[in-house]
Amino acid sequence: MAMAAANCWFSVLTSSTGSTSRYSLTSQRLFSTSRRPTYFLTSIVKSSKDPNQNQNPKQKLPRKTPDKFSTENEAITQKFPGRSRDESPLSNADGRSSRKKSGRSQSTSLRSSGVQRKGNKGVLFDSKDQQVETGNLQDAAFLNAVVKVYCTHTAPDYSLPWQKQRQYQSTGSAFMIGDGKLLTNAHCVEHDTQVKVKKRGDDTKYVAKVLAKGVECDIALLSIESKEFWKGAEPLQFGRLPRLQDAVTVVGYPLGGDTISVTKGVVSRIEVTSYAHGSSELLGIQIDAAINPGNSGGPAFNDRGECIGVAFQVYRSDEAENIGYVIPTTVVSHFLEDYERNGKYTGFPSLGVLLQKLENPALRACLNVPSHEGVLVRKVEPTSDASNVLKKGDVIVSFDDVRVGSEGTVPFQTTERIAFRFLISQKFAGDVAELGIIRGGEFMKVKAIMNPRVHLVPYHIEGGQPSYLIVAGLVFTPLSEPLIEEECEDTIGLKLLTKARYSLARFKGEQIVILSQVLANEVNIGYEDLSNEQVLKLNGTWIRNIHHLAHLVDSCKDKYLVFEFEDNILVVLEREAALAASGCILKDYGIPSERSSDLSEPYVDSIGHVKTIDQHESVDCAVSNSEFGYDGLLWG
């Protein structure tokens, strides 16, 4: 655990999903692979931040530490690698979604294949990965539906949350699906400020609008209003989920040239896979066709010219070659139907339980499980609806009348078995699932409403800009994975890293609020060295989230503001002096406002009475999006 925490890699409790809709899509996932040092492109992205952006030397700048396992996409600046499931648990503990106790392998990495950063000249891969244009495909009509994406990104600065980082550009791929819309990867348009696309053989770039982003499934929906763009356009037709050894062709605009590129291979594996960008696990298709930066968002075709998925990631290792991943059309159809139902992306649901395999016969006998099936409920998340119907010690033996094996798997494609969470991923938010359980030796059926998982420490910030509150130079912000990525383990500290990995939200809206840094001023003298400390109470009241803290500060009438932190650290400020100094501090450090715009809204207590449980009590299980948190454990 210590090594995993020290490596600053965490995973999310998101459930994988993929379901078919009227779009009849089969969605599959692709991992980008590279035998070159994986930090090369990432270090360039990191260095793109303007050193002059922090205009005042008094302000503490977080140390930017290049990470070997960061994503390769041009379009993303944060690192969200995932875990490959095709190798032993120890050999692939290299990505953010890995939850193993071992350290990260120094020769493997999971990376989004996505966008190639413009200006990265001379970055070439092994000749075995070279992209080739196939003669018999050059005039195929479906190739004209694939376009090149140009995106300008402006990412937030999570350590200095009132400002943004320097903008940068990237390129990727997308394809037409009809009704004036295109599909690409979410990481290709992450933190977008401008998106343009260009058709094959055209020299005009058209402005695109991002309609929806599915971070978990790494899919984004674009629209283009220009009628000129759609003249003569033929959208792609989606095919069904392929079989093993089916031929597959990947089309896109990777690095190494400006024209469209085609690579061929076969389907190597279909299973629930780690999605690097979304830090989630969904159905994915593994292929051996070469995928390089810039391929992200491009389609993968079967031998009938039907789209069977979206290229998005590769697995790179010294021990493995040509392992790419495609988002299958089942996941794509779930994303599109979700958008059609709700007018926005709401996410994939979760059952919200920590499970254990029941392979051991003595364990099954002790729990009165008569057959070789079922998984044991170890813990139920307090924020899930399952907490109303499931208990610790229950054994789940079926999900919507599909029998669950003792390894946590269910039947798949006639002759295969797949992770139990695949069934969960078929559901939509608000759907009801019927669970067959054994409780105390008695079989019964219960129903649970499926909803997206509530994350105590989010992997992505909705709206893009983090919340913050400055009180007399004390900078408070919620703990998030992007912030951990910027600060890294040497400044965040092991305690916060452990909480990010092990703690569960006890109620909706709960956040871990930390003192990010102290902007030195006479009013806060003696506190300047405090940083990255969790604040627990203000004047004796437990803090629920950053908005609650702002409300407590605004409504305080006491003489002193008394902040209680983890490890019994105490910060006391004279309230009137603190308020009087705020304007001067903001001016000295060039900060436009003492709080983020979302905290200017009136605070609404939607939580009600919350039991004041010590924060340490929630640190009792691994927070993991991988199938196995530890050996024998899995999340539903």
Side-chain angles (χ1 to χ4, degrees):
M1 181 195 71
M3 183 173 292
N7 280 330
C8 207
W9 293 95
F10 301 90
S11 50
V12 191
L13 286 170
T14 48
S15 306
S16 346
T17 49
S19 68
T20 46
S21 73
R22 68 182 185 84
Y23 292 92
S24 67
L25 307 177
T26 48
S27 51
Q28 305 158 347
R29 212 179 42 172
L30 289 172
F31 292 144
S32 322
T33 58
S34 157
R35 289 179 295 282
R36 298 286 180 179
T38 62
Y39 56 80
F40 184 80
L41 289 179
T42 302
S43 63
I44 295 177
V45 174
K46 288 283 184 181
S47 66
S48 68
K49 181 173 180 179
D50 189 353
N52 298 321
Q53 189 167 2
N54 182 58
Q55 298 177 354
N56 195 297
K58 295 181 183 179
Q59 219 160 299
K60 289 171 61 179
L61 282 172
R63 195 168 58 128
K64 308 293 184 184
T65 306
D67 195 297
K68 181 167 184 175
F69 303 96
S70 54
T71 52
E72 178 178 59
N73 306 324
E74 263 182 54
I76 37 184
T77 57
Q78 279 92 42
K79 308 174 291 298
F80 292 99
R83 176 171 62 88
S84 172
R85 300 168 56 82
D86 57 332
E87 297 197 312
S88 65
L90 296 180
S91 66
N92 57 17
D94 51 16
R96 185 183 182 109
S97 58
S98 172
R99 311 301 292 169
K100 298 300 178 184
K101 297 180 182 180
S102 64
R104 289 173 284 133
S105 164
Q106 295 301 307
S107 60
T108 62
S109 96
L110 294 170
R111 300 156 68 181
S112 301
S113 61
V115 290
Q116 48 175 323
R117 187 176 176 91
K118 297 173 76 172
N120 289 346
K121 297 180 179 179
V123 183
L124 298 177
F125 294 91
D126 193 295
S127 60
K128 296 179 182 178
D129 283 344
Q130 64 185 351
Q131 313 278 327
V132 294
E133 285 198 321
T134 313
N136 61 345
L137 287 177
Q138 188 167 1
D139 297 325
F142 61 79
L143 294 185
N144 295 328
V146 185
V147 302
K148 190 170 186 176
V149 178
Y150 299 82
C151 185
T152 300
H153 314 257
T154 307
D157 189 323
Y158 295 93
S159 298
L160 305 173
W162 50 86
Q163 65 185 33
K164 290 182 176 288
Q165 301 184 36
R166 184 177 182 179
Q167 72 176 26
Y168 63 96
Q169 290 78 39
S170 70
T171 62
S173 305
F175 60 95
M176 306 173 190
I177 62 171
D179 196 25
K181 297 180 177 63
L182 302 94
L183 279 182
T184 186
N185 284 143
H187 69 254
C188 292
V189 292
E190 185 181 34
H191 306 307
D192 64 285
T193 52
Q194 185 184 68
V195 180
K196 294 180 291 185
V197 301
K198 186 172 71 171
K199 294 192 295 183
R200 180 189 183 197
D202 196 352
D203 61 354
T204 302
K205 295 178 183 177
Y206 299 87
V207 175
K209 178 182 178 182
V210 180
L211 297 179
K213 295 178 190 175
V215 174
E216 292 168 290
C217 57
D218 201 3
I219 302 173
L221 185 65
L222 310 180
S223 70
I224 296 179
E225 297 180 357
S226 173
K227 295 181 180 179
E228 184 70 24
F229 175 84
W230 294 104
K231 282 185 178 179
E234 295 184 12
L236 297 183
Q237 300 297 316
F238 289 98
R240 62 185 181 182
L241 196 68
R243 298 279 181 170
L244 297 181
Q245 287 297 307
D246 280 359
V248 60
T249 301
V250 177
V251 180
Y253 291 87
L255 57 79
D258 294 325
T259 59
I260 199 167
S261 175
V262 177
T263 57
K264 284 190 170 185
V266 297
V267 173
S268 306
R269 180 179 292 152
I270 303 175
E271 66 177 355
V272 174
T273 319
S274 296
Y275 279 44
H277 178 64
S279 297
S280 58
E281 292 200 342
L282 299 170
L283 190 66
I285 300 175
Q286 179 183 319
I287 64 174
D288 65 357
I291 299 175
N292 282 319
N295 268 125
S296 275
F301 297 98
N302 58 22
D303 54 7
R304 294 180 296 276
E306 299 170 330
C307 176
I308 54 94
V310 185
F312 77 117
Q313 290 184 168
V314 295
Y315 176 74
R316 295 191 178 256
S317 166
D318 291 337
E319 292 79 32
E321 295 182 357
N322 292 343
I323 300 179
Y325 293 84
V326 174
I327 303 170
T329 49
T330 52
V331 177
V332 175
S333 67
H334 190 287
F335 168 82
L336 292 175
E337 187 169 337
D338 185 5
Y339 176 78
E340 183 176 300
R341 285 185 180 188
N342 305 291
K344 63 179 181 179
Y345 172 75
T346 61
F348 288 82
S350 163
L351 185 57
V353 292
L354 177 65
L355 305 170
Q356 179 178 345
K357 297 177 183 179
L358 291 183
E359 295 179 284
N360 187 278
L363 178 58
R364 292 197 302 273
C366 179
L367 295 169
N368 295 315
V369 179
S371 57
H372 193 79
E373 62 183 3
V375 285
L376 174 66
V377 176
R378 289 190 61 246
K379 187 176 181 65
V380 184
E381 294 182 40
T383 56
S384 70
D385 184 71
S387 62
N388 299 319
V389 295
L390 293 179
K391 298 179 180 179
K392 175 183 175 182
D394 288 346
V395 176
I396 300 176
V397 295
S398 69
F399 184 94
D400 284 345
D401 294 325
V402 178
R403 309 300 290 184
V404 179
S406 60
E407 285 188 316
T409 59
V410 294
F412 179 70
Q413 284 193 338
T414 308
T415 58
E416 302 289 340
R417 295 190 69 84
I418 198 169
F420 162 52
R421 71 169 45 83
F422 170 71
L423 296 180
I424 301 173
S425 71
Q426 305 288 306
K427 298 287 188 177
F428 290 86
D431 285 356
V432 176
E434 186 177 67
L435 305 171
I437 65 172
I438 295 177
R439 178 181 296 168
E442 298 292 328
F443 175 80
M444 64 182 69
K445 287 191 174 183
V446 297
K447 294 183 178 180
I449 300 175
M450 311 295 291
N451 285 302
R453 178 167 278 118
V454 176
H455 297 289
L456 180 62
V457 179
Y459 275 73
H460 294 266
I461 305 297
E462 290 188 14
Q465 199 66 21
S467 301
Y468 73 91
L469 174 69
I470 302 177
V471 181
L474 278 63
V475 181
F476 296 98
T477 190
L479 184 65
S480 65
E481 286 296 337
L483 176 60
I484 291 173
E485 295 293 342
E486 283 198 7
E487 294 283 329
C488 211
E489 71 274 5
D490 55 346
T491 54
I492 283 290
L494 187 58
K495 277 197 172 182
L496 282 179
L497 297 180
T498 303
K499 285 190 176 185
R501 177 178 178 182
Y502 282 82
S503 297
L504 298 177
R506 297 163 298 166
F507 52 87
K508 293 181 180 179
E510 183 180 14
Q511 294 175 326
I512 294 179
V513 182
I514 66 170
L515 172 64
S516 175
Q517 60 176 295
V518 177
L519 308 176
N521 184 270
E522 291 181 2
V523 72
N524 57 44
I525 192 168
Y527 304 136
E528 302 92 336
D529 294 332
L530 292 176
S531 65
N532 295 326
E533 297 286 349
Q534 182 183 0
V535 57
L536 303 178
K537 298 180 182 180
L538 175 60
N539 288 7
T541 301
W542 286 87
I543 296 168
R544 302 169 184 173
N545 50 49
I546 186 71
H547 207 160
H548 185 221
L549 174 60
H551 169 70
L552 294 176
V553 172
D554 293 342
S555 59
C556 179
K557 304 299 181 184
D558 297 340
K559 182 177 180 180
Y560 296 103
L561 295 171
V562 181
F563 298 93
E564 297 180 50
F565 293 85
E566 188 77 28
D567 295 329
N568 299 316
I569 297 174
L570 200 64
V571 170
V572 179
L573 299 171
E574 188 176 353
R575 185 176 62 86
E576 292 186 358
L579 295 177
S582 293
C584 180
I585 294 174
L586 296 179
K587 182 178 179 181
D588 287 348
Y589 288 86
I591 302 173
S593 175
E594 66 178 3
R595 64 185 67 190
S596 54
S597 58
D598 60 312
L599 300 187
S600 299
E601 300 293 328
Y603 175 72
V604 178
D605 186 0
S606 59
I607 301 171
H609 175 70
V610 178
K611 182 181 177 182
T612 55
I613 305 174
D614 191 308
Q615 295 287 330
H616 294 289
E617 294 186 16
S618 62
V619 184
D620 56 2
C621 65
V623 173
S624 172
N625 72 313
S626 62
E627 178 181 357
F628 303 100
Y630 293 118
D631 290 341
L633 307 184
L634 57 154
W635 278 99

